[in-house]
Amino acid sequence: MQVTRGVRQVKKVVCGMSGGVDSAVSALILKLKGYEVIGLFMKNWDTTNEQGVCTSDIDRADAKFACDHLKIPFLEVNFVKEYWNEVFSAFLKDLDQGMTPNPDVLCNRYIKFDAFYKHAIENIGADAIATGHYVRSSVGYNLDDIDDRKGVDLLQAVDQNKCQTLFLSQISQNALRRALFPVGSLLKQDVKQIARDNGMERIANRKESMGICFIGKRNFHDFIEEYIEPKPGNFVNLVTGEIMGQHKGIHSLTRGQRTLIGGLAKAMFVAEKDIKTNDIYVVQGTDHPALFTETMFTEEAHWINKPPRKLLTEQMYDCDFKYQHIMRSIKCTATLSGGNSLIVSLQKPMRAINAGQYAVLFDGEVCLGSAKIRRPGPSMFTMGHREPMKVHVT
């Protein structure tokens, strides 16, 4: 697949270069469209992995290779302090409180679309920023023609399997108005082919990074215990009250996760966590009704453009809901509850909704924004259901 050259007014765009194929192809597309492109590599984490290798150094080398190959300037910026303060510390705090945090949401809000955005505009003199995220904006490349009355919407990517709107659901309107997402209208397979067609096989063949960036391939529990002191407690059978064994701390497991309690005919899963007693309540079977809920209570919602008018006028709004990156959205009703907080009621019960995750709301392809889940509502077991539940297909 070839990228066609377009005729556009030249603007200075700082493209975040991660070392991966998405940011490399984003920079290529921008250059072919006539923009003055500068590649900027962000260093957000500086410790080594279990082999004594700093993965950030590997990413930097690939980011520099892409910039050199494209003949665009390569710059670096260190956001280790900002990442620690705004992302990692919050991640640890939520874990210690028994929540299930999403550091990718925080990274995009506070680092890529705040610290990086400000650095590019204020220190480099950029007119806009660009990233390799699989999302789109309602104005595309027409950043000069934004109607202040309408604002800019964040749209889902063409490639639904790679769509990252959930991770960008807390970014600011100011940053979105000066952001370009060149791969948001492409399929991942086409992005890799563009890289190969333009001499970047090294980048196209990179193994895609998965999971939490600062943990990498390390064992999650071993890594976390470097920062959070284990606080052992009891596994308690939610139905019978029987003590089933001991755990290392409520931070070590999340609702819906399978436990490793031995000697049982059927696996036990985490249903509830009590931060006061340090007990983790478990149930048998992945489809137990105690693992499902159809409501949740959130902290204050963040709206990327504007709050839905109907929500403000009627206090309720029907829309679509997601709380995991790879899942089909389902219908919900969002109700205002004390200011800008929400009660989200789902069309059907969902499994393993956790405090600390984000309730992300959509109107069709438009990502309206999100709200951090303060606590899930009563489980279906609490509501009287005793039969196994049907798991919603993601």
Side-chain angles (χ1 to χ4, degrees):
M1 180 178 176
Q2 297 294 321
V3 178
T4 56
R5 186 182 299 272
V7 178
R8 293 185 179 276
Q9 180 183 356
V10 176
K11 281 184 171 293
K12 182 186 289 188
V13 180
V14 172
C15 184
M17 304 296 290
S18 67
V21 67
D22 303 321
S23 58
V25 170
S26 294
L28 167 65
I29 292 172
L30 291 168
K31 184 178 179 182
L32 291 176
K33 285 183 174 292
Y35 291 97
E36 177 190 349
V37 185
I38 297 171
L40 181 62
F41 175 77
M42 291 172 278
K43 185 171 185 178
N44 299 330
W45 193 254
D46 63 356
T47 58
T48 58
N49 62 18
E50 65 276 19
Q51 281 86 38
V53 176
C54 182
T55 54
S56 178
D57 293 340
I58 299 173
D59 295 338
R60 179 193 179 280
D62 285 340
K64 189 174 189 311
F65 163 81
C67 288
D68 290 345
H69 181 79
L70 297 174
K71 296 181 173 55
I72 63 174
F74 173 79
L75 302 178
E76 304 175 66
V77 63
N78 189 312
F79 290 139
V80 170
K81 179 180 178 182
E82 289 84 351
Y83 191 91
W84 182 280
N85 291 337
E86 301 291 349
V87 181
F88 190 61
S89 293
F91 171 80
L92 293 178
K93 181 180 179 181
D94 280 358
L95 269 185
D96 199 38
Q97 293 294 311
M99 295 184 177
T100 302
N102 190 326
D104 289 325
V105 173
L106 295 179
C107 181
N108 283 311
R109 175 173 179 169
Y110 292 111
I111 306 301
K112 295 176 183 176
F113 292 89
D114 187 19
F116 167 80
Y117 161 72
K118 290 176 180 176
H119 179 78
I121 302 297
E122 297 171 6
N123 299 333
I124 303 177
D127 299 307
I129 62 170
T131 70
H133 285 101
Y134 283 84
V135 299
R136 296 175 295 143
S137 86
S138 57
V139 295
Y141 291 95
N142 300 317
L143 301 185
D144 292 327
D145 302 324
I146 295 173
D147 185 336
D148 287 336
R149 294 169 298 178
K150 293 182 179 180
V152 179
D153 290 325
L154 181 69
L155 308 181
Q156 292 182 330
V158 169
D159 192 335
Q160 285 294 298
N161 292 324
K162 291 294 179 182
C163 184
Q164 295 172 300
T165 43
L166 184 147
F167 300 129
L168 272 65
S169 63
Q170 288 267 314
I171 68 171
S172 72
Q173 175 70 190
N174 286 341
L176 183 58
R177 289 184 180 218
R178 301 180 79 170
L180 299 172
F181 305 104
V183 301
S185 299
L186 300 173
L187 299 178
K188 179 74 175 194
Q189 63 193 45
D190 294 334
V191 170
K192 288 190 172 185
Q193 191 58 49
I194 291 172
R196 294 188 181 102
D197 291 344
N198 287 273
M200 293 189 289
E201 293 87 353
R202 164 177 165 177
I203 304 298
N205 294 334
R206 260 182 60 133
K207 187 175 181 180
E208 193 166 2
S209 60
M210 302 293 287
I212 301 174
C213 61
F214 48 78
I215 295 177
K217 296 180 180 179
R218 283 172 287 188
N219 178 276
F220 177 83
H221 300 298
D222 292 343
F223 174 83
I224 292 303
E225 286 181 7
E226 296 178 15
Y227 300 93
I228 297 179
E229 181 181 354
K231 300 174 184 176
N234 292 322
F235 283 120
V236 181
N237 189 310
L238 179 68
V239 179
T240 68
E242 178 187 0
I243 295 177
M244 309 296 295
Q246 275 209 329
H247 59 79
K248 292 184 176 181
I250 60 172
H251 68 275
S252 62
L253 292 165
T254 189
R255 188 184 189 197
Q257 187 175 349
R258 180 175 179 168
T259 67
L260 298 178
I261 303 172
L264 300 176
K266 194 173 183 181
M268 306 290 287
F269 294 81
V270 176
E272 297 177 12
K273 297 192 285 188
D274 190 326
I275 191 173
K276 294 180 180 178
T277 64
N278 215 34
D279 290 331
I280 293 180
Y281 291 90
V282 296
V283 292
Q284 281 192 331
T286 187
D287 53 2
H288 194 285
L291 304 175
F292 291 76
T293 185
E294 55 188 1
T295 58
M296 69 204 74
F297 301 84
T298 78
E299 297 180 3
E300 288 205 352
H302 170 80
W303 305 109
I304 294 173
N305 192 351
K306 301 178 182 70
R309 181 182 295 275
K310 190 173 181 180
L311 178 66
L312 298 179
T313 58
E314 300 184 15
Q315 307 296 297
M316 300 175 70
Y317 182 70
D318 294 332
C319 54
D320 296 317
F321 164 87
K322 289 178 72 171
Y323 72 105
Q324 291 178 338
H325 169 45
I326 302 176
M327 67 169 284
R328 296 175 185 171
S329 61
I330 67 169
K331 297 296 181 181
C332 76
T333 299
T335 305
L336 282 177
S337 173
N340 195 28
S341 300
L342 302 172
I343 300 173
V344 180
S345 305
L346 306 178
Q347 186 182 55
K348 61 181 70 175
M350 294 291 293
R351 185 183 184 278
I353 290 177
N354 285 276
Q357 294 175 310
Y358 286 85
V360 185
L361 305 179
F362 295 84
D363 180 2
E365 65 176 0
V366 177
C367 178
L368 299 169
S370 64
K372 186 177 179 181
I373 299 171
R374 183 162 47 87
R375 63 181 176 88
S379 73
M380 302 311 293
F381 183 75
T382 302
M383 299 291 287
H385 292 258
R386 295 296 180 264
E387 295 299 319
M389 302 292 295
K390 182 178 180 180
V391 177
H392 181 69
V393 178
T394 58

